[in-house]
Amino acid sequence: MKQKVRNAVWPWAGLLLGAIVAVQASAQPVAGPPEVVPLWPQDHWHQRALGPEKTGAEGSAKGAVSGVSDARMEIYRPAKPNGTAVVIFGGGGYFRIQIGSAATPTAQWLQSLGVTAAVVYYRLPADGWAPVSPFQDGQRAMRLLRARAAGLGVDPQRIGAIGFSAGGNLAGIVATRFDAPFYAPVDAADQLSARPDFLGMIYPVVSMRAPLDKTRSRRELGSQADAEQAYSVEAHVRTDMPPVFLAQAVDDHTVDVGHSLALYQAVHAAGLPVELHLFEKGGHSWGLGAPGSLVGQWPRLFATWARSHGYLGVAPQALMPISPAVPAPLQGVAPVRDDDGSGD
C-alpha cells in the first residue's frame, strides 16, 4: 500500500519541483560571462611587461595577476541593470593584482545587485612600467566605461570606483586627480571625465608620506622623484571630489590603520561627505570578508551608504547566486595576504 501511495505522489512532486525551479530561474536570471574591453589601442604603449602575464596558483599569490602588458577591464553585466556602475581596482602593492580573491568576487556581488561592474587589469611598476602607468589605466578605465554607458544601461553620472589596498590608492588618486594629464588624449572617450561619482576604499594605501611610508606600494612607486606628493591621496583632497567610504581592520599589520584615518581627517576637515568603518579584527586582504566575520559587514554597509547618496538603486528582494556553493548576497572569501611578507 505504501508503495502505491509513493508512486501516486511522486509525479506531482516532480511537477512541483519543476515549477519551483522555473520560478527561481525567472526570479534570478543568470547573466553571461564578462566582456573583455582593452583600455588602449593595440600597440599604443611601445613596450611589454618584463615577464609573461600569469596568475598565481597557491599561497598569498593565489588568484593574483602579474605581468600585465595589455591593460583591460572585464565588464560584468547584470541581467537587469539598475543604472549604476562601479570600476574595481584590486590590490597587491603594485607588484600584482588580487583579482581572484577580491576584485572578481566584488564584481559578482555588485552584479547580483543589478550594478554593472568592471574589473581593471592595470599595468604594474614592478613589471617594468613607469610608476604613472596604473594611474593612466585608472583614468582611462573610468572614461571608457563612461563612454560605453548608454550601451550598458548605465547612467554616466552614476559610475563609482572601489579599490582594495594598493588599488585603494589607485582609486583615491583617480578620484582626487581625475583631471591630471597623466596621458595624452587618445580618442573621443578622453574628452569625458575620469571622476568617479562615489568612492569606496577598502583597507587602502592612502599616503606615501612618513610615518605611513612603509608599504610595498611606496617602494614600487618610489622611482618617480615626486611620488611622495603625487600619489598621497590625502594631499589632493578637493571640494569637487566624490563622497568617500572607508573600511579597514584595526589589526591590519600590512597597511597601518593610520592610512584610513589620515584620509578621513582630511576629507572631514574639508567639509566633504565621508564615512569610516574600523573593525576590531580582520587583518588585511579580506576581499568581501568571510561570512560572520567583523570585516564581512562592509559590503552591506557600503551598499547602504551608496544608496544614501542616490547610487545602487533600491535594495533587491532577491539576488542572483554568486556561485553554486555560496549564496548571494555576501559570498565570503577567505582572507589572504596581498604580499609575500614584505608589503601591501
Side-chain angles (χ1 to χ4, degrees), residues 72-92:
R72 61 196 184 275
M73 56 183 172
E74 292 180 343
I75 300 179
Y76 290 76
R77 302 181 65 168
K80 296 181 179 180
N82 64 14
T84 295
V86 174
V87 178
I88 302 169
F89 302 102

Side-chain angles (χ1 to χ4, degrees), residues 243-317:
V244 182
F245 175 96
L246 293 152
Q248 191 170 6
V250 176
D251 66 347
D252 189 332
H253 299 302
T254 301
V255 176
D256 191 278
V257 72
H259 285 264
S260 289
L261 292 171
L263 186 59
Y264 174 82
Q265 291 170 345
V267 176
H268 179 67
L272 304 173
V274 58
E275 182 163 312
L276 169 64
H277 294 275
L278 295 181
F279 303 105
E280 179 185 355
K281 296 179 180 179
H284 190 72
S285 195
W286 15 272
L288 286 181
S293 67
L294 293 175
V295 295
Q297 301 175 81
W298 84 262
R300 290 181 186 273
L301 294 168
F302 174 81
T304 301
W305 170 84
R307 290 190 181 102
S308 77
H309 286 279
Y311 304 110
L312 264 64
V314 298
Q317 294 182 346

